[in-house]
Amino acid sequence: MNKEVELLAPAGDLEKLKFACIYGADAVYIGGQIFGLRASARNFSFEDMEEGIKFAHERGKKVYVTLNIIPHNEDLNELPGYLEKLNELDVDAIILSDPGTLMYVKEYAPNLEIHLSTQANNTNYMSAKFWYKQGVKRIVLARELSFEEIREIRKNTPKDLQLEGFIHGAMCISYSGRCLLSNYMANRDSNRGECAHPCRWNYYLVEEQRPGEYIPVIEDEKGTYFFNSKDLCMINHIPELINSGIYSFKIEGRMKSIYYVANTVRVYRKAIDEYLKSPESFKFNSEWIEELSKVSHRKFTTGFYLNKPTEDDQLYTTSSYIRKYDFIGIVLEYDEKTGIAIVEQRNRMFKGDDIEIIGPNYKGFSQVITKMYNDKGKEIDVAPHAQQKIKILMDKPVEKYYILRRKREEN
């Protein structure tokens, strides 16, 4: 059993990095403004990277930078200068998938630790050994592996080669994320960070000899979503994950919200810590899956870990997310004497709302908003403006970075 594991969180921007660290991640992975696979995320300027790395390192956390596009010739022109800058910033590791990129790293940033992206689709121990000999410190395993295969890879690879696996988040329909569908359908190359997610679009089936005759694969007047995967969720299988030999537990979601990052991290942090504290007496808490269901998600699957996915691991009727709760605010400050918190609004809230407050210590509480004031101290009944600073009377003490949420009315 691993006595120590790493909880690795996504951070699409500087604010998400801070929340991931505060809510219990051991490390975060981020993208610069080039060479990452999430071009539509806000991503990090060099100035943001510097601030984020300082914030993380002060708290004993690590920062990994993605360089995992599959580059074309023109992509290589900016790479040497970019690597030299990363080398100066005290980045803990870079994540890459391309052998040419690895060669550039060795030449222009030889001190940087190298992690191999899941895009390289590493599915066996001989491949892992090959990359290890090239200087790779960690393998981000292909998502198409079972626990049995992972244990075999761990058994047959050097002990100081770390293994990383995805444990939560959106699943890509293509093998290890190597998708050509977006390039073909939308002229946006998913392997260069521009995926249009056509796997989430709705489709009809057309038989070759019957052009123009559109057949719904499942009887539905809206079509069907036969490429559309459920979301990965392994909260029920923490013991198996730890005992498989995986060192780093990776959450997907650099495009997701602060609330998604914070809440997902705090739940997995709690479950992992509970197991490591006492493996013999560990019991799964059904509250953990309930908490994960309170962020935007699709129905859950265990992916390839337990068995090969079947038709039950796809969603055929909708590509929409399940949204049970609204993320409505972030605590910026709290005055213990008055019990008043300064909150930055992230969704419209009203006096009389029944809300929940969560923090990094896992346990939260519920209350009704009884008093709410604007920044001039005038009592108000509604906070309608995006990122409006308001004051709320709290029933219990809170701290900076606490999150406010409210159950959606339709639920």
Side-chain angles (χ1 to χ4, degrees), residues 340-365:
I340 295 287
I342 299 176
V343 173
E344 184 177 275
Q345 185 257 45
R346 291 302 175 100
N347 241 310
R348 191 165 60 163
M349 65 181 92
F350 297 85
K351 181 179 177 180
D353 277 349
D354 194 348
I355 65 171
E356 295 179 11
I357 297 94
I358 62 171
N361 59 355
Y362 184 72
K363 276 296 180 185
F365 65 95

mmCIF file of all heavy atoms in Angstrom, residues 340-365:
data_model
loop_
_atom_site.group_PDB
_atom_site.id
_atom_site.type_symbol
_atom_site.label_atom_id
_atom_site.label_comp_id
_atom_site.label_asym_id
_atom_site.label_seq_id
_atom_site.Cartn_x
_atom_site.Cartn_y
_atom_site.Cartn_z
ATOM 1 N N ILE A 340 -20.226 39.538 10.741
ATOM 2 C CA ILE A 340 -20.491 39.949 9.358
ATOM 3 C C ILE A 340 -19.354 39.470 8.447
ATOM 4 O O ILE A 340 -18.174 39.658 8.758
ATOM 5 C CB ILE A 340 -20.620 41.483 9.241
ATOM 6 C CG1 ILE A 340 -21.844 41.995 10.008
ATOM 7 C CG2 ILE A 340 -20.677 41.917 7.780
ATOM 8 C CD1 ILE A 340 -23.169 41.679 9.348
ATOM 9 N N ALA A 341 -19.732 38.872 7.333
ATOM 10 C CA ALA A 341 -18.764 38.459 6.315
ATOM 11 C C ALA A 341 -18.905 39.340 5.080
ATOM 12 O O ALA A 341 -20.024 39.664 4.667
ATOM 13 C CB ALA A 341 -18.988 37.009 5.926
ATOM 14 N N ILE A 342 -17.769 39.730 4.512
ATOM 15 C CA ILE A 342 -17.776 40.387 3.208
ATOM 16 C C ILE A 342 -17.700 39.290 2.153
ATOM 17 O O ILE A 342 -16.800 38.454 2.175
ATOM 18 C CB ILE A 342 -16.605 41.376 3.061
ATOM 19 C CG1 ILE A 342 -16.701 42.478 4.112
ATOM 20 C CG2 ILE A 342 -16.589 41.971 1.650
ATOM 21 C CD1 ILE A 342 -15.523 43.438 4.097
ATOM 22 N N VAL A 343 -18.672 39.299 1.258
ATOM 23 C CA VAL A 343 -18.816 38.229 0.276
ATOM 24 C C VAL A 343 -18.786 38.804 -1.131
ATOM 25 O O VAL A 343 -19.394 39.843 -1.395
ATOM 26 C CB VAL A 343 -20.146 37.465 0.496
ATOM 27 C CG1 VAL A 343 -20.395 36.447 -0.616
ATOM 28 C CG2 VAL A 343 -20.150 36.782 1.858
ATOM 29 N N GLU A 344 -18.059 38.135 -2.023
ATOM 30 C CA GLU A 344 -18.104 38.497 -3.441
ATOM 31 C C GLU A 344 -19.155 37.643 -4.123
ATOM 32 O O GLU A 344 -19.070 36.414 -4.130
ATOM 33 C CB GLU A 344 -16.741 38.277 -4.093
ATOM 34 C CG GLU A 344 -16.703 38.722 -5.550
ATOM 35 C CD GLU A 344 -15.326 38.559 -6.154
ATOM 36 O OE1 GLU A 344 -14.500 39.480 -5.996
ATOM 37 O OE2 GLU A 344 -15.076 37.500 -6.771
ATOM 38 N N GLN A 345 -20.167 38.285 -4.683
ATOM 39 C CA GLN A 345 -21.288 37.583 -5.310
ATOM 40 C C GLN A 345 -20.856 36.903 -6.604
ATOM 41 O O GLN A 345 -20.116 37.465 -7.396
ATOM 42 C CB GLN A 345 -22.419 38.604 -5.606
ATOM 43 C CG GLN A 345 -23.684 37.991 -6.142
ATOM 44 C CD GLN A 345 -23.833 38.180 -7.643
ATOM 45 O OE1 GLN A 345 -22.887 37.984 -8.382
ATOM 46 N NE2 GLN A 345 -25.022 38.508 -8.085
ATOM 47 N N ARG A 346 -21.270 35.644 -6.801
ATOM 48 C CA ARG A 346 -21.002 34.925 -8.041
ATOM 49 C C ARG A 346 -22.293 34.463 -8.719
ATOM 50 O O ARG A 346 -22.254 33.914 -9.807
ATOM 51 C CB ARG A 346 -20.100 33.714 -7.760
ATOM 52 C CG ARG A 346 -18.680 34.101 -7.364
ATOM 53 C CD ARG A 346 -18.000 34.942 -8.425
ATOM 54 N NE ARG A 346 -16.709 35.406 -8.031
ATOM 55 C CZ ARG A 346 -15.553 34.869 -8.405
ATOM 56 N NH1 ARG A 346 -15.557 33.776 -9.158
ATOM 57 N NH2 ARG A 346 -14.412 35.391 -8.026
ATOM 58 N N ASN A 347 -23.426 34.644 -8.059
ATOM 59 C CA ASN A 347 -24.744 34.365 -8.622
ATOM 60 C C ASN A 347 -25.746 35.137 -7.784
ATOM 61 O O ASN A 347 -25.553 35.302 -6.589
ATOM 62 C CB ASN A 347 -25.069 32.865 -8.587
ATOM 63 C CG ASN A 347 -25.290 32.288 -9.974
ATOM 64 O OD1 ASN A 347 -26.054 32.837 -10.760
ATOM 65 N ND2 ASN A 347 -24.604 31.202 -10.273
ATOM 66 N N ARG A 348 -26.797 35.585 -8.393
ATOM 67 C CA ARG A 348 -27.773 36.419 -7.684
ATOM 68 C C ARG A 348 -28.290 35.720 -6.429
ATOM 69 O O ARG A 348 -28.630 34.536 -6.461
ATOM 70 C CB ARG A 348 -28.945 36.751 -8.614
ATOM 71 C CG ARG A 348 -29.876 37.815 -8.066
ATOM 72 C CD ARG A 348 -30.786 38.363 -9.121
ATOM 73 N NE ARG A 348 -31.623 37.329 -9.713
ATOM 74 C CZ ARG A 348 -32.739 37.575 -10.421
ATOM 75 N NH1 ARG A 348 -33.107 38.819 -10.630
ATOM 76 N NH2 ARG A 348 -33.423 36.587 -10.924
ATOM 77 N N MET A 349 -28.323 36.472 -5.320
ATOM 78 C CA MET A 349 -28.843 35.916 -4.072
ATOM 79 C C MET A 349 -29.799 36.900 -3.415
ATOM 80 O O MET A 349 -29.723 38.116 -3.648
ATOM 81 C CB MET A 349 -27.702 35.540 -3.126
ATOM 82 C CG MET A 349 -26.869 36.681 -2.632
ATOM 83 S SD MET A 349 -25.509 36.123 -1.529
ATOM 84 C CE MET A 349 -24.176 35.908 -2.705
ATOM 85 N N PHE A 350 -30.689 36.377 -2.592
ATOM 86 C CA PHE A 350 -31.762 37.164 -1.994
ATOM 87 C C PHE A 350 -31.774 37.015 -0.476
ATOM 88 O O PHE A 350 -31.403 35.966 0.065
ATOM 89 C CB PHE A 350 -33.124 36.703 -2.530
ATOM 90 C CG PHE A 350 -33.311 36.885 -4.003
ATOM 91 C CD1 PHE A 350 -32.848 35.916 -4.891
ATOM 92 C CD2 PHE A 350 -33.932 38.012 -4.512
ATOM 93 C CE1 PHE A 350 -33.018 36.066 -6.258
ATOM 94 C CE2 PHE A 350 -34.106 38.168 -5.877
ATOM 95 C CZ PHE A 350 -33.653 37.200 -6.753
ATOM 96 N N LYS A 351 -32.219 38.064 0.195
ATOM 97 C CA LYS A 351 -32.533 37.950 1.611
ATOM 98 C C LYS A 351 -33.618 36.880 1.766
ATOM 99 O O LYS A 351 -34.575 36.846 1.004
ATOM 100 C CB LYS A 351 -33.041 39.299 2.129
ATOM 101 C CG LYS A 351 -33.377 39.320 3.609
ATOM 102 C CD LYS A 351 -33.853 40.716 4.013
ATOM 103 C CE LYS A 351 -34.267 40.738 5.477
ATOM 104 N NZ LYS A 351 -34.730 42.107 5.884
ATOM 105 N N GLY A 352 -33.458 35.985 2.723
ATOM 106 C CA GLY A 352 -34.391 34.877 2.904
ATOM 107 C C GLY A 352 -33.956 33.583 2.246
ATOM 108 O O GLY A 352 -34.560 32.536 2.475
ATOM 109 N N ASP A 353 -32.889 33.645 1.426
ATOM 110 C CA ASP A 353 -32.377 32.419 0.792
ATOM 111 C C ASP A 353 -31.842 31.451 1.849
ATOM 112 O O ASP A 353 -31.154 31.855 2.787
ATOM 113 C CB ASP A 353 -31.250 32.741 -0.198
ATOM 114 C CG ASP A 353 -31.747 33.165 -1.560
ATOM 115 O OD1 ASP A 353 -32.955 33.024 -1.818
ATOM 116 O OD2 ASP A 353 -30.914 33.633 -2.369
ATOM 117 N N ASP A 354 -32.138 30.192 1.651
ATOM 118 C CA ASP A 354 -31.565 29.125 2.475
ATOM 119 C C ASP A 354 -30.286 28.674 1.782
ATOM 120 O O ASP A 354 -30.338 28.130 0.675
ATOM 121 C CB ASP A 354 -32.563 27.976 2.590
ATOM 122 C CG ASP A 354 -32.188 26.986 3.681
ATOM 123 O OD1 ASP A 354 -31.055 27.079 4.178
ATOM 124 O OD2 ASP A 354 -33.014 26.124 4.019
ATOM 125 N N ILE A 355 -29.149 28.927 2.404
ATOM 126 C CA ILE A 355 -27.862 28.667 1.744
ATOM 127 C C ILE A 355 -27.023 27.677 2.550
ATOM 128 O O ILE A 355 -27.296 27.418 3.723
ATOM 129 C CB ILE A 355 -27.064 29.968 1.530
ATOM 130 C CG1 ILE A 355 -26.659 30.586 2.883
ATOM 131 C CG2 ILE A 355 -27.849 30.948 0.673
ATOM 132 C CD1 ILE A 355 -25.693 31.752 2.760
ATOM 133 N N GLU A 356 -25.979 27.133 1.882
ATOM 134 C CA GLU A 356 -24.995 26.285 2.538
ATOM 135 C C GLU A 356 -23.627 26.949 2.411
ATOM 136 O O GLU A 356 -23.326 27.555 1.382
ATOM 137 C CB GLU A 356 -24.955 24.889 1.915
ATOM 138 C CG GLU A 356 -26.242 24.098 2.106
ATOM 139 C CD GLU A 356 -26.184 22.715 1.459
ATOM 140 O OE1 GLU A 356 -25.076 22.301 1.056
ATOM 141 O OE2 GLU A 356 -27.233 22.074 1.346
ATOM 142 N N ILE A 357 -22.817 26.817 3.445
ATOM 143 C CA ILE A 357 -21.465 27.366 3.449
ATOM 144 C C ILE A 357 -20.498 26.216 3.646
ATOM 145 O O ILE A 357 -20.646 25.417 4.567
ATOM 146 C CB ILE A 357 -21.277 28.417 4.560
ATOM 147 C CG1 ILE A 357 -22.204 29.614 4.338
ATOM 148 C CG2 ILE A 357 -19.830 28.909 4.572
ATOM 149 C CD1 ILE A 357 -23.517 29.527 5.060
ATOM 150 N N ILE A 358 -19.510 26.108 2.756
ATOM 151 C CA ILE A 358 -18.508 25.052 2.863
ATOM 152 C C ILE A 358 -17.118 25.671 2.943
ATOM 153 O O ILE A 358 -16.894 26.780 2.451
ATOM 154 C CB ILE A 358 -18.566 24.056 1.688
ATOM 155 C CG1 ILE A 358 -18.286 24.765 0.353
ATOM 156 C CG2 ILE A 358 -19.900 23.322 1.656
ATOM 157 C CD1 ILE A 358 -18.107 23.827 -0.820
ATOM 158 N N GLY A 359 -16.200 24.926 3.564
ATOM 159 C CA GLY A 359 -14.829 25.392 3.681
ATOM 160 C C GLY A 359 -13.858 24.245 3.546
ATOM 161 O O GLY A 359 -14.247 23.083 3.394
ATOM 162 N N PRO A 360 -12.560 24.524 3.634
ATOM 163 C CA PRO A 360 -11.531 23.492 3.461
ATOM 164 C C PRO A 360 -11.572 22.395 4.525
ATOM 165 O O PRO A 360 -11.046 21.307 4.294
ATOM 166 C CB PRO A 360 -10.226 24.285 3.561
ATOM 167 C CG PRO A 360 -10.592 25.692 3.279
ATOM 168 C CD PRO A 360 -11.975 25.863 3.786
ATOM 169 N N ASN A 361 -12.155 22.683 5.678
ATOM 170 C CA ASN A 361 -12.186 21.682 6.755
ATOM 171 C C ASN A 361 -13.277 20.646 6.560
ATOM 172 O O ASN A 361 -13.620 19.905 7.475
ATOM 173 C CB ASN A 361 -12.354 22.366 8.114
ATOM 174 C CG ASN A 361 -13.633 23.196 8.194
ATOM 175 O OD1 ASN A 361 -14.347 23.332 7.198
ATOM 176 N ND2 ASN A 361 -13.909 23.760 9.350
ATOM 177 N N TYR A 362 -13.835 20.590 5.386
ATOM 178 C CA TYR A 362 -14.855 19.642 4.936
ATOM 179 C C TYR A 362 -16.243 19.931 5.491
ATOM 180 O O TYR A 362 -17.177 20.139 4.746
ATOM 181 C CB TYR A 362 -14.472 18.182 5.217
ATOM 182 C CG TYR A 362 -15.521 17.228 4.643
ATOM 183 C CD1 TYR A 362 -15.606 17.052 3.271
ATOM 184 C CD2 TYR A 362 -16.433 16.578 5.449
ATOM 185 C CE1 TYR A 362 -16.564 16.238 2.715
ATOM 186 C CE2 TYR A 362 -17.410 15.758 4.903
ATOM 187 C CZ TYR A 362 -17.469 15.591 3.538
ATOM 188 O OH TYR A 362 -18.444 14.789 2.992
ATOM 189 N N LYS A 363 -16.442 19.928 6.781
ATOM 190 C CA LYS A 363 -17.780 20.117 7.326
ATOM 191 C C LYS A 363 -18.255 21.552 7.103
ATOM 192 O O LYS A 363 -17.550 22.507 7.408
ATOM 193 C CB LYS A 363 -17.816 19.786 8.826
ATOM 194 C CG LYS A 363 -17.995 18.306 9.115
ATOM 195 C CD LYS A 363 -19.340 17.809 8.600
ATOM 196 C CE LYS A 363 -19.530 16.327 8.883
ATOM 197 N NZ LYS A 363 -20.779 15.811 8.287
ATOM 198 N N GLY A 364 -19.472 21.699 6.607
ATOM 199 C CA GLY A 364 -20.062 23.010 6.408
ATOM 200 C C GLY A 364 -21.282 23.202 7.287
ATOM 201 O O GLY A 364 -21.520 22.437 8.215
ATOM 202 N N PHE A 365 -22.071 24.221 6.962
ATOM 203 C CA PHE A 365 -23.309 24.439 7.702
ATOM 204 C C PHE A 365 -24.311 25.160 6.806
ATOM 205 O O PHE A 365 -23.955 25.697 5.755
ATOM 206 C CB PHE A 365 -23.058 25.227 8.987
ATOM 207 C CG PHE A 365 -22.566 26.643 8.784
ATOM 208 C CD1 PHE A 365 -23.451 27.714 8.764
ATOM 209 C CD2 PHE A 365 -21.207 26.902 8.632
ATOM 210 C CE1 PHE A 365 -22.998 29.017 8.591
ATOM 211 C CE2 PHE A 365 -20.740 28.200 8.460
ATOM 212 C CZ PHE A 365 -21.644 29.266 8.440
#
